[in-house]
Each structure stands twice: as structure tokens, then as C-alpha cells.
Amino acid sequence: MSSVDTTAEVHDEHHDDDHHDHGEFIAHHFDTPEQQYDSGKLGIWVFLVTEVLFFSGLFCAYVLLRYHQPEVFVAASEHLDKVLGGINTIVLLFSSLTMAWAVRAAQLGQNRFASRLILITMVCAAVFLGVKAVEYSHKWDLNIYVASHYNYIEGYHPDAPSEGLAGALGVSQSLINLCVLPAILLVGFLVAGVIYRVRESQAMSALYLAMAVMMGGFFLGAVGGQIYQNAAESAAAHGGDHGHDAAAGEHAEEAAVTGPDTTSKYPPPIGMFFSIYYIMTGLHAFHVIGGMVALSWLYYRCTRNHFRPDYYGPVDFVGLYWHLVDLIWIYLFPLLYLIN
Amino acid sequence: MSTTPQAAKLFGNAIGEKGNYLNASRGIKSWLLTLDHKRIGIMYLIGVTVALLLAGVFALVLRSELFTGTKMFLTEAQYNQMFTLHGAIMVFAFIIPSVPAALGNFVLPMMLGAKDVAFPRLNLCSFYLWLFGTGFLLVAMLTNGLDTGWTFYTPYSIKTTSAVMYATMGAFILGFSSIFTGLNFLVTINTMRPPTMTWFKMPLFLWSLYATSIIQILATPVLGITLLLLFAERALHIGIFDPAYGGDPVLFQHFFWFYSHPAVYIMILPAMGIISELMSVHAHKKIFGYAFIAFSSVAIALLGFLVWGHHLFASGQSTLLSLIFSAITFSVAIPSAVKVFNWLATLYKGSISLVTPMCYALSFIFLFGIGGLTGLFLGTLSVDIHLHDTYFVVAHFHFVMVGGTLTALLGGLFHWWPKMFGRMYNDFMGRVSCFLVFAGFNLTFFPQFVMGARGMPRRYARYDPEFQIFHQVSTIGAFVLGIGVVVAFAVLVYAIYRGPKVGGNPWGAASLEWQSSSPPDYHNFTHKVVMNDPYDYSVMVYDEDLDTYIHREFTVPEKPARTEPEPTTT
Ligand SMILES: [Cu+2]
């Protein structure tokens, strides 16, 4: 019997130090780079399964509510701008392409090229959020909130802000508020990048400058989205009444009359669509932000030349995550924006 | 009988130059920042034990209050908070992480002959998530309390002034802790098995942990989104569960039980895995029906996803749907019974040693049997209408969760304690604790079946005089049970300091974790482990020199000595 020969590999201390055989990123408890890669790959796939299930609860709620009140969903989705949603869809699809390309580049050990592609992906993510900020702020200006605070009155147009920064730029105060944190981050990253450059820490400097470029993407999206928004508004104002169908008007009026009164016998059902809308897109945006952090980490590792044909797992795994974030948007876009 | 030097290394207490995992490094930091699965397991064990004792004290307060049926020292509102916190802490902070995260963490990689789990950092992260989540539950307790019951049913949970937001945040974080543990274990079992250990050569504890991981991964995210929606409901009044805005409160019940029924199997499946090990090792007989037990774990895990509607029989669910859920609920009894029959068949003609772990295992079979069978009463549509929300339900799930999981956890602790700390406990006192737990448990919960069947509703602070005798017996039983649990932990802790030292394999068990020293080396194994059938006890023979069981490979002195591993050169 040869049971002594059929033994499990047991590691010895010296594995921790032989960087040149197994690479410096092979954890001590794995036998081979392949085992580490396989574990990571299975781990990220399982994680994606949990993500899908996490969102599945929202999709179930969506189906249930839409099944009960289909006409509300048709009417409410009129408030969502198909063009802005479409632009964001294209931006995310493009970012998936650059991400997949980055995985390939990392696999070939082309760290420099991979870092460029990852930077493009980061910028796309930020552009997406910038456009989203325009969409959110526009709805808030119209008092379109979650069900309990939904207070939109048909035909209502907010007054143009006249004072402060918002008045000077001709954009809504809500958008300005949404841009405060990104602006702080942009300046902070720039300053950090310059400080590290002065200290001659090239990798850190490159990381912070890349993150500053990423935050620039946010403002690119916000400015572009707002320009489109203003054009669409004035077109609508000149083009006369091409507004919503009768059912939508009726519901909106009802909402306006009853308000968010919890004792009302006829609650404003149209607000429920926006509850689902804000939760779904908000949670998705949160995942986009998570992706931006992970991508920044990858960018840093690329500038340190960490990846090579036998070690590129992290790029692959973050890539899979990023594709899932895109995929969820691919479902959200038609379900929310393209009803009818 | 003579032994080779390797035997002394493998089964004696010779350890590598880093020392064993307990003394390899010292200081509080070396524990709090450790990536070693054994230390993380021990930290989890301490954590869940504290949670158990805390929630156990709540239970005793509740039972004391119920001694007379009139107000003793809790108002009705305080009573509501007390049973809510008892339930929430027991379920989320104790039972769910107890066996997998505490015992599983320690044992799983060693059963695979591996050095660690696949993602040690994630493992430590799980522990801290557990700590934060439990902390949030405690914050809820210390601020406004929580009075929704552990189920957080809407619309009450939207309206109550108690600290629902802290509690949901706590349960949400604990959910992620559980997901990460499941993910880690699933990947570890998939990718870190030694090449010769095929799926059907794994110990059954690993099968049950694998099935548990599947549930943790597939069910817990739904709890996550449910709690997030409830959180948003409280914070922003999004209205999805609130009928005032056209939302659907029953949707919450569906979401909640889609997780929480499978969660019952997160609690019981690892316990069943422990019992499979204990039965076989302490009957010194190969497990009967290995494949049946293995597949029944997976069957329970999968069927568990299809029965959540049996919690909604009284919530206006359609009759057809209730009928389907009822039928599938009955079918869960099949794999459960398969396990029980196989355990009993394992005992048949075994040479049973009635050591403490075996006593707990036998208690488990008895208590789990009652808990499982009364579940059939509740799965029956017409009967459930009568028994719904009565003490019958309370008794049923306590038989499964306390009689099942807690008993198995204690049995598992007594079984692996010599491995974890290298010391043997006082077996007589261990058996005394088992008797107290068993007697106290039955005294507590058996009367509750009778009360429930006679219409005593659950979660009531006051009751009619006709129920008083049952409540009083139950309260006395609860204190006996509490004393039993304390005695058990006292026996175990005493053993760490005063117990006699043991060798690597005091039980003569054949799974791989017993081929290390006790306590295990920092790297688990100092030598290559010898692969063998985990239930073939004939390969282990008692060695007088080492006073422990060793592998037969090492008993023949003529056998050529195996080469030493290369000395460390760093
Ligand atoms: Cu159930």
C-alpha cells in the first residue's frame, strides 16, 4: 500500500521567501500560483452570485409593484430622460470594453498599457456618476422624491436660482450640493499627487493624479449632462405642450392634492416608482463607487509593474466585478427608462 | 510495540520551531491581527460564547417573569424588548456563526490537511464584521431597545419608536460576516483539498459545512437587501413595505423568510455534521451510509429554499401556494430522517464509549428527533392554523436550535477540545453537564408543547392561571439548563489550565486533524499527513509510549524512515 506516497503537500517556511520561484504575491498557504488563481476566481464568482441575489430582492419588489400598478410605472417613467440614460449605458458598455482589454494587457504583462486602460475605465465610471448627479438633481428640483415625499405637480417648473454659485452658473442648487464632495476629492487628489511628486514617490503620485483625472470625469459628465438638460428644457418650453399622457396627469394631480399624507385613503402611487428607482439606481451607484476604488487600487499596482502572465488575478477579478456592475445597469436601464 | 521517530512527531506533541499556534507569538496584537484560522476560530468561540451567555441571561429573566403570570419585575414593554433581544442576539450573533465560524474555522482546514482557509484576511474580516454587527445590536439594546421580535415584521417595525435602525444595521453587518465565512469555506473545500481527497473521501463534517456555505451564500444576500429596504423605510419612508403608500407588508415576510427559513439550516446542518463525526468516532465504527448522509446535507440545503411560505399560512397567502409549501415542507423530513437512521445504524454493533461528546451526540438525536417531528405538525395546514404563534412553535424551534445546535456545539467542543488546547477535561463532570443540559432542556420545553397545544400564545407577558403550572415547570427547567451550560463551559475552561496533557489523537479518530500535535503546530502539520479513509479506525492503533493513537504506518520498526523535511534556512 502506498498511502505514504499519496500525501498532501505541506509547506515549509522557506516558501515565504523564495520570491523568484513562485512570485512575491503567492500567499504562503497556497501550493502553486494556479491554486491561488483558481481560489480567487471561484471566490469572485461566488461573490458575484451574492451580488446578483442582493439585487434580486429589488427586482422582485419591482415586478410585484409593477404588476399591481402597471399604468403608474408607464406614467412615472416619462419623468426619466431616455437620452441621459442611454448615454450612461453607452459609457458603461465602453468601460466594460476597456476593462476587458485591461485584463488582457495585464495577462500579457503590459502593465503600462493596462494602467492606461484602467484609467479610461475609471473616468467612464466617474462620467456615469456625473450624469447621474444631473438626473437626480433635476428630479429633486421638481419635488420628485421617494413615495412619502413625492410632491410633483404637473407642469411645475422650478424658478431658476438667482443667487450664489448656482445662480452664477445657471444650474440648480441640488446639483451644486452633489458636486461638493467630488470637488473636494478632485482638489485633494491633485494636491496629494503634487506632494508625492515633490517627494519623488512616483507610484503614489501617479495614483493620486489618476484619481484626480477620474474625478475630472465626474465633472465632465455633470457639465455635459447639464448642458443637454438645459437644451432639452428650453426645447420643451418652446415646443409647447407635448407632456405626459392623461393617466399620468391624473395620477400626478391626485398626488398633488393628497400629498404625502399617511392617513389618506388614496396614497400617491406614482411615488412608489421613484422609491424603487432611487433604491435601485442608488445601490447601483454605490457599486460603481466601490468599483472606482478597486480600479484605483489596480492602477496603483499596474504602475508598480505587479502583473505578469502567471500573476494577473486581481485585474481579472475586479474586471469580473465591473462587468457585473455594467450588467445590472443593462437590466435597470430598460426596466426603469424604457417602459413602453 | 515500537514507533518510528515520525510517529512521535506526527502524533506526539513534537512541534515545529515556531511553536504551537497558542504560543507561536504573544500579546493581544498577535491575536487581534492574526490570520491564523485556529486563532480566529478561538476568538469567534469566545465571542459567540459571550453572546450565548448574554442572551441566555435574557432568557432566564423572561422565564422568571413568567413564573406567576402577573407582573413581577418587567413591564409589558420591557418584556417585549427582552424577548426581542434574546431572539435577535441568539439567532444572529450566536447560533448562525457558532458551529461554522467557531468550530468550523478551527477544524475545516485541518480536516483538509491544509495550512489555512483560502482567504485568511477575509476570514479575519468576517470576525470583525461579526464584532461590529453584534456591537450594533448592543447599541440598539442600550439606546431605545428593540421590541419588534427578531423577525422585524412590517408595518410595526416601521412605526415603533425602538431602535430598529441600529438593530437592522447590526443584522445587516452580521449577514455579511456570515456570507464571507460561507464564501471562504466553499472556496477552501473546492480548491484546497489534497489531490487524493476526492469529494467522497471528505469527512462528513466538511460536507455539512459545504452545504451550509451554499445556503449562506444564496440566502443571506436576500436578508441583506430586505434589511436595507427596511432601513430605507425607516430613514426615508420609501413605502415599499408600507401600505400607507401602496406598499406591501407581506412582501417583507416573503423576503424575510426566504432567508430565515434556510437560515434554520445554516444553524442545524453544521450541527448534523458534528454528530456524524461524533457517532462514528466514539462508536469506533465506520459511519453507516456515508453517501446518504453526504447527499442528505445537500438535499436539505436545496429543499430549504423552497419552503419559506410555511411561515405565512396565517398571512393571507393563497391556499394553493400554502398547499405547495406544506407539501415541500414535509419532504424535508426525508433527508433529515435519512441522517437519523444512518446515525443509529452506525451505533449498531459499534463499541460505544459513553464519553462526554458521545453523551451530547445521543442527546442530540433524541432532541432533534422531537424537534423535527413536531415540525411536521406545524407544516400541516389545518393544524398550523391552530398552533400558529403559540408556545408549540416556541417549543418546536427550541428543540431544533437548542436541543439540536447547542447540544451539538457542546458535543463538538468536548470532542475537539483536547485538539484545540492539548488538555483533557474531567469526563465525569462533562457527563454531569450533559445530563443537566438534557434534563433541564426537556423540563423547559416539553411543557411548552402542552401549553401551546392548549392555546397559550407566544410573546405574551401575562397568562391565564390554567397555564401557570406549565410555566413554572418551564422556568425551573430553564435554570437547570442554564446551570448545565455554565457547568459545561466551566469544565472546559478548567481543563485548559489544570487538565492532563493529551497526545495528538486521544480518541483514535482517523480524520486528518488528529494527525497533528495537540495543540496543533502554528502551520497545522509539521509533517506530511498520511491520507486515509476518515472513518477507517483500523488504521489507528494505541501506542503506549506516546499514550495516544497513532497511524499503523508508523508501528512497524523495519519500515524505512521517511525523509525529514528540509531544514529551514532563512
Ligand atoms: Cu421555516
Side-chain angles (χ1 to χ4, degrees):
Chain A
M1 190 191 148
S2 62
S3 61
V4 174
D5 301 318
T6 57
T7 50
E9 179 71 32
V10 173
H11 311 252
D12 303 312
E13 267 304 282
H14 68 267
H15 276 211
D16 291 346
D17 297 313
D18 62 357
H19 291 172
H20 302 289
D21 278 340
H22 283 167
E24 56 197 304
F25 302 118
I26 304 305
H28 77 287
H29 58 288
F30 290 115
D31 295 332
T32 58
E34 291 76 38
Q35 190 185 30
Q36 171 159 330
Y37 178 79
D38 291 344
S39 299
K41 191 99 173 181
L42 181 62
I44 191 71
W45 274 110
V46 172
F47 177 72
L48 296 187
V49 168
T50 68
E51 288 282 13
V52 168
L53 282 155
F54 195 64
F55 275 92
S56 71
L58 292 176
F59 284 108
C60 281
Y62 174 93
V63 168
L64 188 85
L65 294 170
R66 184 168 167 183
Y67 175 77
H68 283 312
Q69 295 157 327
E71 72 287 352
V72 165
F73 275 59
V74 172
S77 78
E78 292 284 318
H79 285 295
L80 301 183
D81 194 303
K82 293 181 179 62
V83 175
L84 288 180
I87 290 172
N88 261 352
T89 309
I90 292 166
V91 166
L92 277 193
L93 280 175
F94 181 70
S95 78
S96 251
L97 171 71
T98 54
M99 187 70 235
W101 205 346
V103 174
R104 183 62 187 155
Q107 195 178 8
L108 295 174
Q110 304 162 339
N111 281 279
R112 203 178 156 73
F113 186 43
S115 72
R116 296 285 174 277
L117 290 164
I118 287 168
L119 182 59
I120 297 174
T121 314
M122 287 158 68
V123 170
C124 286
V127 168
F128 175 91
L129 290 180
V131 174
K132 208 83 212 124
V134 171
E135 289 193 71
Y136 276 0
S137 62
H138 182 61
K139 283 179 198 59
W140 295 344
D141 289 341
L142 295 176
N143 292 325
I144 296 177
Y145 297 111
V146 294
S148 61
H149 295 79
Y150 182 86
N151 213 0
Y152 174 68
I153 296 164
E154 184 64 17
Y156 169 74
H157 287 290
D159 299 332
S162 53
E163 50 196 37
L165 185 60
L169 293 175
V171 298
S172 82
Q173 186 61 42
S174 317
L175 184 59
I176 300 289
N177 293 345
L178 279 176
C179 289
V180 169
L181 185 63
I184 294 171
L185 287 176
L186 173 61
V187 175
F189 291 149
L190 268 179
V191 171
V194 171
I195 290 174
Y196 275 109
R197 172 134 304 181
V198 172
R199 287 187 182 173
E200 298 192 345
S201 172
Q202 289 306 322
M204 288 302 279
S205 167
L207 169 67
Y208 279 111
L209 292 177
M211 284 163 80
V213 171
M214 173 174 78
M215 294 322 294
F218 177 87
F219 289 98
L220 180 68
V223 170
Q226 187 63 39
I227 289 170
Y228 164 80
Q229 187 73 52
N230 290 344
E233 293 252 298
S234 57
H238 294 299
D241 184 19
H242 79 292
H244 315 290
D245 60 49
E250 219 166 82
H251 279 292
E253 241 153 64
E254 197 173 83
V257 173
T258 52
D261 183 2
T262 51
T263 58
S264 163
K265 206 177 158 206
Y266 298 104
I270 203 163
M272 187 61 75
F273 175 85
F274 289 99
S275 292
I276 280 280
Y277 166 82
Y278 281 120
I279 290 285
M280 281 181 140
T281 56
L283 202 59
H284 178 261
F286 187 77
H287 280 81
V288 172
I289 294 170
M292 286 158 73
V293 174
L295 286 166
S296 305
W297 172 67
L298 287 186
Y299 182 88
Y300 174 74
R301 298 199 62 178
C302 279
T303 56
R304 300 284 307 264
N305 282 321
H306 280 180
F307 301 118
R308 42 190 242 192
D310 66 348
Y311 179 76
Y312 65 101
V315 190
D316 200 9
F317 307 151
V318 173
L320 282 169
Y321 169 81
W322 189 249
H323 293 320
L324 181 85
V325 172
D326 291 356
L327 189 68
I328 288 169
W329 179 257
I330 300 296
Y331 278 94
L332 289 184
F333 177 57
L335 284 178
L336 295 169
Y337 288 73
L338 302 182
I339 302 175
N340 261 10
Chain B
M1 187 180 293
S2 57
T3 55
T4 59
Q6 279 78 27
K9 280 224 165 192
L10 261 169
F11 298 97
N13 279 331
I15 42 167
E17 61 184 41
K18 266 200 129 170
N20 69 41
Y21 80 102
L22 290 169
N23 63 20
S25 52
R26 293 192 178 278
I28 187 80
K29 227 174 120 184
S30 75
W31 279 85
L32 294 180
L33 299 177
T34 184
L35 298 180
D36 179 6
H37 68 99
K38 301 183 286 301
R39 285 191 168 193
I40 294 173
I42 299 289
M43 291 198 292
Y44 255 121
L45 183 61
I46 295 167
V48 297
T49 305
V50 170
L52 167 71
L53 295 179
L54 180 69
V57 168
F58 291 161
L60 293 181
V61 173
L62 289 170
R63 286 306 331 161
S64 308
E65 174 67 22
L66 289 169
F67 198 73
T68 60
T70 52
K71 181 174 188 301
M72 294 200 27
F73 38 83
L74 292 180
T75 64
E76 283 82 353
Q78 285 168 333
Y79 181 88
N80 289 348
Q81 301 211 349
M82 211 48 123
F83 78 67
T84 299
L85 289 165
H86 164 73
I89 292 178
M90 277 292 192
V91 169
F92 294 118
F94 168 63
I95 310 183
I96 287 179
S98 64
V99 179
L103 265 182
N105 238 325
F106 195 98
V107 175
L108 179 140
M110 298 193 67
M111 277 187 159
L112 293 172
K115 245 178 166 182
D116 210 321
V117 292
F119 308 116
R121 278 195 207 92
L122 189 67
N123 201 13
L124 186 65
C125 170
S126 294
F127 173 73
Y128 281 107
L129 287 176
W130 178 89
L131 209 58
F132 281 119
T134 308
F136 269 102
L137 287 184
L138 295 181
V139 168
M141 183 177 93
L142 295 174
T143 52
N144 270 347
L146 182 70
D147 63 353
T148 60
W150 75 279
T151 49
F152 302 114
Y153 266 19
T154 53
Y156 182 68
S157 57
I158 305 172
K159 296 200 167 79
T160 171
T161 53
S162 64
V164 175
M165 303 241 303
Y166 284 126
T168 46
M169 197 38 80
F172 181 81
I173 295 171
L174 286 169
F176 274 90
S177 163
S178 175
I179 289 174
F180 290 150
T181 302
L183 188 154
N184 220 334
F185 286 5
L186 183 124
V187 173
T188 306
I189 294 175
N190 260 311
T191 61
M192 297 187 73
R193 272 176 296 126
T196 54
M197 188 190 277
T198 56
W199 285 95
F200 290 95
K201 286 182 183 164
M202 287 199 314
L204 286 164
F205 186 46
L206 295 186
W207 270 98
S208 72
L209 284 177
Y210 195 81
T212 308
S213 303
I214 292 174
I215 308 176
Q216 286 176 310
I217 288 160
L218 296 184
T220 318
V222 178
L223 175 76
I225 195 66
T226 310
L227 294 173
L228 201 67
L229 284 172
L230 180 58
F231 190 86
E233 194 75 73
R234 295 276 305 189
L236 305 166
H237 294 287
I238 56 170
I240 287 175
F241 298 134
D242 192 345
Y245 301 106
D248 187 351
V250 179
L251 181 65
F252 178 87
Q253 296 186 17
H254 279 287
F255 278 176
F256 184 82
W257 288 110
F258 181 84
Y259 165 74
S260 292
H261 186 84
V264 172
Y265 299 123
I266 297 178
M267 305 174 206
I268 194 68
L269 272 173
M272 290 168 157
I274 291 177
I275 300 303
S276 300
E277 300 298 320
L278 302 195
M279 283 292 160
S280 179
V281 170
H282 299 291
H284 304 284
K285 185 164 162 260
K286 194 180 175 78
I287 190 87
F288 186 88
Y290 174 96
F292 281 93
I293 297 181
F295 278 124
S296 64
S297 292
V298 180
I300 288 174
L302 298 181
L303 283 173
F305 280 100
L306 305 173
V307 301
W308 79 88
H310 63 215
H311 296 272
L312 285 82
F313 287 164
S315 301
Q317 181 176 250
S318 87
T319 316
L320 176 66
L321 210 54
S322 292
L323 208 64
I324 294 168
F325 278 125
S326 173
I328 306 176
T329 302
F330 287 146
S331 70
V332 180
I334 298 168
S336 309
V338 163
K339 280 182 187 286
V340 173
F341 293 145
N342 281 300
W343 292 328
L344 295 179
T346 303
L347 294 179
Y348 180 65
K349 287 194 174 170
S351 61
I352 301 168
S353 36
L354 280 176
V355 288
T356 310
M358 189 56 157
C359 293
Y360 275 105
L362 295 173
S363 313
F364 173 95
I365 293 199
F366 184 80
L367 300 177
F368 174 75
I370 294 177
L373 288 173
T374 50
L376 294 177
F377 292 46
L378 295 167
T380 312
L381 279 176
S382 51
V383 182
D384 184 62
I385 299 302
H386 174 64
L387 295 175
H388 186 85
D389 265 356
T390 66
Y391 265 67
F392 194 93
V393 179
V394 176
H396 156 69
F397 69 72
H398 279 90
F399 263 83
V400 177
M401 283 170 199
V402 183
T405 308
L406 180 63
T407 309
L409 173 69
L410 289 172
L413 285 177
F414 277 102
H415 179 71
W416 279 294
W417 205 257
K419 174 56 63 193
M420 293 162 100
F421 295 102
R423 307 265 190 165
M424 185 54 86
Y425 45 83
N426 182 325
D427 194 52
F428 174 76
M429 285 311 291
R431 277 179 282 176
V432 167
S433 78
C434 178
F435 174 77
L436 288 173
V437 167
F438 183 77
F441 179 85
N442 281 298
L443 215 53
T444 313
F445 292 105
F446 214 89
Q448 297 190 2
F449 279 127
V450 184
M451 268 194 275
R454 295 187 182 184
M456 171 77 210
R458 67 191 286 203
R459 295 179 168 176
Y460 277 35
R462 314 284 176 248
Y463 54 82
D464 289 341
E466 60 187 286
F467 295 116
Q468 190 172 30
I469 180 67
F470 300 113
H471 274 295
Q472 289 181 340
V473 172
S474 186
T475 301
I476 294 165
F479 277 92
V480 177
L481 172 59
I483 292 168
V485 172
V486 169
V487 169
F489 279 104
V491 170
L492 290 173
V493 172
Y494 183 81
I496 297 178
Y497 298 102
R498 291 287 147 76
K501 293 196 170 176
V502 291
N505 189 4
W507 308 123
S511 46
L512 296 184
E513 79 273 24
W514 298 102
Q515 293 191 18
S516 69
S517 56
S518 297
D521 179 67
Y522 178 73
H523 289 308
N524 291 353
F525 303 99
T526 45
H527 270 63
K528 293 186 173 183
V529 289
V530 185
M531 301 300 293
N532 52 260
D533 182 335
Y535 298 106
D536 179 10
Y537 301 106
S538 66
V539 300
M540 291 293 169
V541 289
Y542 184 71
D543 182 274
E544 281 148 14
D545 301 343
L546 298 169
D547 187 26
T548 194
Y549 285 82
I550 65 168
H551 201 284
R552 176 161 289 177
E553 291 284 338
F554 300 101
T555 56
V556 189
E558 298 85 52
K559 226 176 154 57
R562 293 166 63 233
T563 47
E564 296 280 328
E566 286 172 30
T568 311
T569 50
T570 43

